[in-house]
Amino acid sequence: MRFPIQMTLSLSWYLIKNKLKGRERFPLVMMLEPLHLCNLACDGCGRIREYEETIQDKMPLERCLKAVDECDAPIVSVCGGEPLIYPHIVDLVNGILDRKKHVMVCTNAIGLEKFLPKFRKTPYFTINVSMDGLAKTHDVTRGRKGLYELDLKAIRAAKAQGFRVVTNTTVYKETDVEEIEGMFEDLTAAGVDGMLVSPGYHYEAVQEDIFLNRHEIHKKFQYISKLADRYRLVNTPLYLDFLTGARQFDCTPWGNPTFNPQGWKGPCYLITDQHYQTYDELMGQTDWRKYEKREDARCANCMMHCSVEPTVVRETGKNFRDMLTMIKWNLS
């Protein structure tokens, strides 16, 4: 994933420190879910279904920040649920920034504009808005009419006030790739700093047949990958090669450890077998190699960015051609 220069430097130094310490596994991005409650019911969302019985649970601010310290990842992605309905969201973001970490708030942008005056404008803070197609598709998948225009309006407002804004698009079985190109055109005109696009994951809690298998993913992303020449995609070129079927990478399931009101979610952001009460328990009691090699049946069609992009980051230095590709891409 393409990072701003400050984040790239922080991540590079973090990688060097951990390599020098001889650590085999260490987090890159912490996924912090202070709640699973949401103001939408999106078709492909596994969280609101998986955590239906505990959907009203919210973590105390102090517990969130303690988990940030416990994990020690250089980047924290605040997600959910809808994080902007978390009562302490501003204090949470400020608390993470005070720890000299980079923060990404992943939002559907419904309440974004009213929060803009409360957030700090700093290179360490990024707003990540989910956008899944042009107006008709986006509104249908989110179950709210007019959401596409509302989101574009919020993005323009955030950019006008000096915030860094990226978008996150999930591709499903019925996604029209030409429509994705039209959406990229609108987002570019709105001034976004980058666009991440990834296939959806087969959440067990979602019963509808909306997710892609590997062959379907390859076919759609062979078209989408060509858009990287004209639009500012934040997918790394190596991850795009993986999505098209041109490259193969193992998974890094421990790269994005997830903490939510039930604890540390194991084994990964996408699969839930159990919740651990401490980060050390998650790392020490999980059979990581089974998931790294995708031996679990639930990993068969997983090509999500949270599983592969950490692998790209970790392995870039092992291959001179890959390293040169990444350097050129970061400077482009």
Side-chain angles (χ1 to χ4, degrees), residues 113 116 147-159 190:
E113 284 195 71
L116 294 178
L147 186 58
Y148 184 79
E149 292 302 327
L150 185 153
D151 286 348
L152 283 178
K153 181 173 177 289
I155 290 170
R156 294 188 194 102
K159 289 305 303 173

Side-chain angles (χ1 to χ4, degrees), residues 32-35 57-67 86-88 92 259-261:
L32 177 58
E33 300 173 333
L35 80 176
D57 291 358
K58 301 180 182 70
M59 279 194 289
L61 173 64
E62 295 75 16
R63 186 66 188 97
C64 291
L65 294 174
K66 181 180 178 182
Y86 178 60
H88 312 294
L92 176 58
F259 188 73
N260 65 38

Side-chain angles (χ1 to χ4, degrees), residues 7-218:
M7 194 180 292
T8 300
L9 292 172
S10 297
L11 187 58
S12 298
W13 176 236
Y14 175 78
L15 288 168
I16 292 170
K17 286 194 301 181
N18 280 281
K19 291 293 185 181
L20 290 174
K21 291 178 181 178
R23 294 180 69 188
E24 181 181 3
R25 299 184 178 94
F26 47 87
L28 297 177
V29 179
M30 176 185 174
M31 311 300 286
L32 177 58
E33 300 173 333
L35 80 176
H36 289 128
L37 190 65
C38 192
N39 45 16
L40 292 175
C42 302
D43 291 345
C45 179
R47 288 298 193 269
I48 59 173
R49 295 167 175 83
E50 179 181 352
Y51 292 98
E52 184 177 3
E53 294 183 2
T54 58
I55 199 72
Q56 297 293 332
D57 291 358
K58 301 180 182 70
M59 279 194 289
L61 173 64
E62 295 75 16
R63 186 66 188 97
C64 291
L65 294 174
K66 181 180 178 182
V68 171
D69 294 334
E70 189 180 356
C71 175
D72 197 35
I75 304 167
V76 180
S77 176
V78 183
C79 40
E82 171 50 48
L84 293 186
I85 62 177
Y86 178 60
H88 312 294
I89 184 60
V90 175
D91 290 334
L92 176 58
V93 169
N94 287 336
I96 299 170
L97 291 173
D98 289 343
R99 286 162 168 75
K100 307 298 183 184
K101 296 179 182 293
H102 296 269
V103 187
M104 293 185 287
V105 171
C106 303
T107 176
N108 56 40
I110 289 176
L112 179 58
E113 284 195 71
K114 72 177 183 180
F115 279 97
L116 294 178
K118 304 175 184 179
F119 286 137
R120 294 189 212 171
K121 288 185 279 290
T122 166
Y124 284 79
F125 178 60
T126 299
I127 298 167
N128 187 342
V129 180
S130 54
M131 301 285 290
D132 285 346
L134 289 171
K136 181 178 179 180
T137 300
H138 185 67
D139 294 357
V140 168
T141 58
R142 301 304 170 91
R144 175 165 172 167
K145 189 175 182 180
L147 186 58
Y148 184 79
E149 292 302 327
L150 185 153
D151 286 348
L152 283 178
K153 181 173 177 289
I155 290 170
R156 294 188 194 102
K159 289 305 303 173
Q161 295 183 39
F163 288 96
R164 181 174 187 267
V165 181
V166 299
T167 58
N168 183 12
T169 298
T170 303
V171 175
Y172 298 103
K173 188 183 292 288
E174 299 302 321
T175 298
D176 182 343
V177 290
E178 293 184 3
E179 180 180 349
I180 295 296
E181 184 174 1
M183 183 190 67
F184 285 170
E185 193 73 32
D186 286 351
L187 293 173
T188 300
V192 297
D193 297 276
M195 296 162 283
L196 175 68
V197 58
S198 177
Y201 174 73
H202 287 243
Y203 286 106
E204 292 181 318
V206 179
Q207 300 302 315
E208 295 85 351
D209 183 24
I210 61 175
F211 300 110
L212 300 159
N213 60 37
R214 281 186 171 254
H215 173 73
E216 292 167 330
I217 291 170
H218 292 161

